[in-house]
Structures are given as structure tokens and as C-alpha cells.
Amino acid sequence: MAIVKADLELCQGYANCVVAADDVFDLDDDGVVVLLRAEVPESDVDRVTDAARSCPVSALLVETP
Amino acid sequence: MSPVTVVVGSSVGGVRTAQALRAAGYDGDVVLVGEETVAPYDKPPLSKGLLAGTSTTADITLLTEQAAREAGIELLLGRAASGLDVAGRRVELDDGERLAYDDVVLATGARARPSPWGALPGVHVLRSLADATALADDLRQGGPLVVIGAGFIGAEVAATARGMGVADVTLVDPAPVPLSRALDVEVAGILARLHAENGVHTRFGVGVEGIERVAGGLLVRLADETVLPAATVVVGIGAVPNDDWLRDSGLRLDDGVVCDAYSRAAEHVYAVGDVARLPHPRRGGLVRAEHWTNAVEQARTVARTIALPESPLAHVPVDYVWSDQYDRTIQLTGRTGGTLAHVLVPGPDPDRAFAALYADADGTFAGAVTVGWPRALVTCRKAAGQDTGTSLEEIRQALSAPRPGVRKEAAR
């Protein structure tokens, strides 16, 4: 399992994460990221890490133990 | 001998390619060549936070020396590439050194189109960190500021300058509205009013005749014989790809490096980001996408292709760009503006947020611009990225429906 973290202050609603992995990321009505899951299984780590790296303001982190 | 990939260009496309090679398990040498001496940095903040002084050079650094070492990326900064020997697989640097490669990635980006009215002191373009620092120094002296060109860069500079307290800001463009290449007159008119509401004087539909230096400042002469006094002028009239150094390479150059769907300009030669021109399946023809998200996505696909050449990944140019102006985020996806039909959909707070949806003649959704409404952008961007057409009406209804999705309360 890997842990997904989001910095809600940094988030600008650019939405790259949601387009890349909408099973993990969403936006609320104010355009701030929402984590639909805080943990992702090993099989999803590469895909969710790519989604996190697509954030223009580096507001997302995927931590593998 | 382990293989070597040389990445030429140290902005986001180049840095992300180098990093993605490692993420994809590439075990060869990775050499990243950059013309500038400063650590690689991200460019979107140059017209926003970095210019305003709310973010620092450290904040926008893409790759520190330590991070490069840890990732096994050899950084060659302050070194400009001057040529490419495709047959001999060598990158030539302007100090005479030749770097052998097994694969090379061309990521030299684009530069600001220079001022056709001369490069007088006080006349700026904005593309590099040095440009932004010099402009910020001048803007802190106050105005008047004249911004020539109401594209993304010009509009953002005008907005940022107002936020910095520059009192007298004028935005000039020969087109009748801002962002005229991307938007229709009605939607662009709304954005023109956003500038006016924030205290920016707008002079749209009138060209610039010249800029001259006089005692005490600059004068910008417009085609209608208006003369605008300025302490500082910013010329934001687009960018040109940095492909001159490839002139003798034999690669096909046409306002950028022409590539196939796999971002390949030739065997073992790839191009990424603003310098690359490649086929766009939904637009037809070749497209040079000058957008951050496209560069990042293309860096990922090219790196995977180099690391796993038996299964190359095609890259579909990403039609997504954002712009931060005043307190609004403006987001564009797909095809917008021009002669496409459009409808306006009010957002949750109709005074501050809306979406303009564009459709082809048969009603198929083509693209959208959203203002202050990132959730709508997500819906539109997903639809714009699909190969099967969605109708504009379907998108309009999806945006207008009460959203059963995530509520604000649940998010905090």
C-alpha cells in the first residue's frame, strides 16, 4: 500500500490529477482537490504517482513505505 | 558500456524526461544539458507568483543538484547545444565538446518573440527567470506599464502588475479582444471586462506603431496616433521554437521539430515540449503544443519509449492550458473560439464562474473555456480527450445538473 497526500493550500484546481486518476482524485465545488482514497494498492502506485507528478504546483505526494 | 540518453534542454520537458527515464527503470546514463547556469526552474510562475514576489527562485526550482545526483542525472548547466550529428549520434556543444548518445531528446523549448519595435532599456519580454527578475525590478518602481499583446503572458503580466500595486497599466492588442487566437468575441469580451474591472486600461483593436525612448521614460505610439507614456513596456507577442541549432542536422524543421506520433524526429531522436511539432489525431495535421501539461505528458511517454523500445508509446498532444488572472483561474481544453458555435453555462456563483462550451456544426462538443470553475473543466477535458464524440448538449446538462459528487463539507 502507498499513502496519498494532498496540500489543500497549494492546490489551484488545475485538475491534471483528476484527469489522470479520477478514482483517487476529485475537485470540490471550490476547485480544491479531494482525495477519494488515502491509500492505493501496489498495483496502482505507478499510475497514481504519474497523476501526482502531473500537478503543476506539486501539491500531491504518493508515499511508498 | 551502458547506454546513454542525452536530454537537451533543462526546462520542464527536459527535466521531466530525465526523471521519467529513471521512473521507467532506465539503467543507462542520463545527461541533461541546459543553456542557463541557474538550476532548472518551472516557467508558469514567472508571470505570476515569481513576478509578484510571492514565490522565490527556490520555490520554482525543478531539479536541485542534490536531487539530480540522487536520481543519477548528470547535469551540464551553462552549456548550449550547437548542433546534432544524427548519423554519428553526437550532440555538439558550443564549447566544442561532443556528447555521444544512444538516444537523444530535443527539449530546447521556445523563446519569446523579440520586440519588433527595438530592444530599448525598459522594454521587456518574459520567458526566462532572468527576464522575470528584471521585469519585477522595474515594476517595483511603479508605472506606467504598457503591455503589448493580450495573450496569456500579456494578460497575466497586466493582472500581476495590478496585484503588485502598479497604478497605471494599459493592455494593448491589435485584435479587438484579448486571447483572440483562442476565444470568440463574446467570451473574450467577458475577459476584457475582467481587466477593466481590475483597473487595467484596455486598448484593443489598435496596433503599435513604435516605441521610443525620451527623457524620463518611454513612449508607445499606437496606430490611431495615441501616445502612451510608459516607464516599463512588456512585449508579449508569442514565442518561437528553439530549433535553429538543428539547422544542419537534416531533421525536418517546420516551426519546430517535426515528429511522428511517437515523438520521433529520426531513429533514436525524440523531441518533447514546445519545440516539438507532431500529428494531432483530433485536429488533423501537425501541431506544436506550447503548454506545460503537454510537455509533462510527452516527457513521460518519450521516456517510457526510450526505456522500453519494444513497446513505444504514442503521444496525443494535450489540449489543456490554464491562466491565472486576478482572482480567477481560466482553463481551456480542446478546440475553442474561431467559428465554432458556443453556449455559456453559468457556474455555481454566476457572477464569478462560467463555462463556454464550443461545438462543431453537427453539435459535437469540441472544447471549452471555464472561468473560476475547475470542476466544469474536468468534465469538459475528459470529453475533449475522447475519440468518440459527445454532444455539446450532453455536456451542458452535465454541468447544469445538481452535482451529486463531492461536497465542500466532505472535503475539508
Side-chain angles (χ1 to χ4, degrees):
Chain A
M1 294 294 254
I3 310 292
V4 187
K5 291 182 175 173
D7 186 327
L8 304 184
E9 297 298 314
L10 279 180
C11 176
Q12 300 292 316
Y14 295 138
N16 284 351
C17 59
V18 187
V19 174
D22 63 2
D23 56 329
V24 179
F25 304 104
D26 199 354
L27 296 180
D28 69 15
D29 287 341
D30 291 338
V32 176
V33 69
V34 176
L35 295 180
L36 302 176
R37 292 194 272 149
E39 292 185 342
V40 292
E42 201 52 44
S43 56
D44 283 347
V45 166
D46 284 353
R47 182 176 60 88
V48 176
T49 301
D50 279 342
R53 286 190 182 134
S54 72
C55 177
V57 289
S58 306
L60 303 171
L61 199 60
V62 179
E63 284 181 344
T64 43
Chain B
M1 283 283 286
S2 66
V4 178
T5 295
V6 174
V7 180
V8 186
S10 61
S11 195
V12 71
V15 169
R16 288 301 185 96
T17 303
Q19 292 173 323
L21 280 165
R22 291 297 180 226
Y26 182 76
D27 59 4
D29 294 346
V30 177
V31 181
L32 181 60
V33 181
E35 187 170 12
E36 293 176 75
T37 50
V38 292
Y41 56 88
D42 206 18
K43 291 207 163 95
L46 297 181
S47 51
K48 311 176 185 89
L50 195 283
L51 183 61
T54 54
S55 56
T56 64
T57 306
D59 293 334
I60 68 166
T61 297
L62 288 172
L63 187 68
T64 61
E65 271 185 42
Q66 188 189 341
R69 254 197 320 275
E70 285 170 7
I73 297 168
E74 188 187 346
L75 258 182
L76 297 182
L77 297 180
R79 313 281 294 275
S82 55
L84 184 70
D85 175 358
V86 174
R89 295 208 203 173
R90 295 258 188 305
V91 175
E92 294 150 19
L93 303 185
D94 62 358
D95 57 10
E97 193 180 345
R98 293 158 65 83
L99 303 174
Y101 65 79
D102 293 278
D103 291 284
V104 66
V105 180
L106 316 174
T108 41
R111 62 187 178 277
R113 191 180 299 282
S115 161
W117 307 288
L120 301 165
V123 178
H124 297 256
V125 294
L126 179 52
R127 187 77 193 178
S128 68
L129 178 58
D131 293 340
T133 308
L135 177 59
D137 285 347
D138 277 6
L139 291 183
R140 277 194 294 271
Q141 310 295 316
L145 167 69
V146 174
V147 180
I148 302 171
F152 291 113
I153 289 288
E156 289 187 353
V157 167
T160 301
R162 288 293 297 140
M164 293 170 76
V166 178
D168 188 352
V169 179
T170 305
L171 183 56
V172 183
D173 198 296
V177 287
L179 295 174
S180 58
R181 283 194 303 166
L183 297 177
D184 62 281
V185 171
E186 184 191 3
V187 174
I190 299 172
L191 298 180
R193 286 198 291 283
L194 187 61
H195 290 297
E197 285 161 16
N198 283 280
V200 169
H201 310 291
T202 58
R203 292 302 314 274
F204 295 133
V206 51
V208 172
E209 291 284 306
I211 306 172
E212 59 189 88
R213 182 104 212 152
V214 292
L218 297 160
L219 295 177
V220 179
R221 285 187 193 285
L222 304 188
D224 66 356
E225 297 184 351
T226 313
V227 177
L228 301 172
T232 302
V233 173
V234 174
V235 179
I237 53 171
V240 283
N242 291 321
D243 58 4
D244 316 30
W245 67 285
L246 297 163
R247 198 65 70 205
D248 299 324
S249 66
L251 297 178
R252 188 176 152 212
L253 305 179
D254 178 12
D255 184 37
V257 180
V258 176
C259 301
D260 67 11
Y262 298 94
S263 308
R264 271 187 310 223
E267 285 294 308
H268 303 288
V269 179
Y270 300 83
V272 159
D274 291 9
V275 80
R277 177 175 288 282
L278 67 163
H280 193 307
R282 286 185 300 275
R283 284 176 192 248
L286 297 163
V287 166
R288 196 168 61 78
E290 290 183 321
H291 308 315
W292 191 95
T293 304
N294 177 69
V296 166
E297 177 60 20
Q298 194 176 17
R300 192 182 66 82
T301 56
V302 164
R304 297 255 174 118
T305 296
I306 292 172
L308 305 164
E310 61 282 4
S311 52
L313 285 182
H315 174 69
V316 177
V318 180
D319 294 321
Y320 170 54
V321 57
W322 76 84
S323 177
D324 296 311
Q325 299 175 23
Y326 311 103
D327 57 351
R328 310 294 159 87
T329 296
I330 298 159
Q331 295 166 297
L332 287 83
T333 186
R335 291 177 292 120
T336 56
T339 56
L340 297 167
H342 73 275
V343 296
L344 295 182
V345 183
D349 176 354
D351 291 337
R352 298 180 43 80
F354 71 91
L357 310 180
Y358 295 84
D360 286 313
D362 64 357
T364 306
F365 176 72
V369 52
T370 63
V371 176
W373 197 7
R375 260 190 81 104
L377 180 274
V378 171
T379 304
C380 295
R381 202 171 140 194
K382 284 180 180 170
Q386 282 169 0
D387 290 327
T388 52
T390 311
S391 75
L392 178 145
E393 186 53 27
E394 218 173 306
I395 306 288
R396 194 186 65 77
Q397 285 177 12
L399 297 187
S400 305
R403 285 174 303 282
V406 189
R407 304 302 308 170
K408 199 168 134 187
E409 296 74 33
R412 299 288 160 85

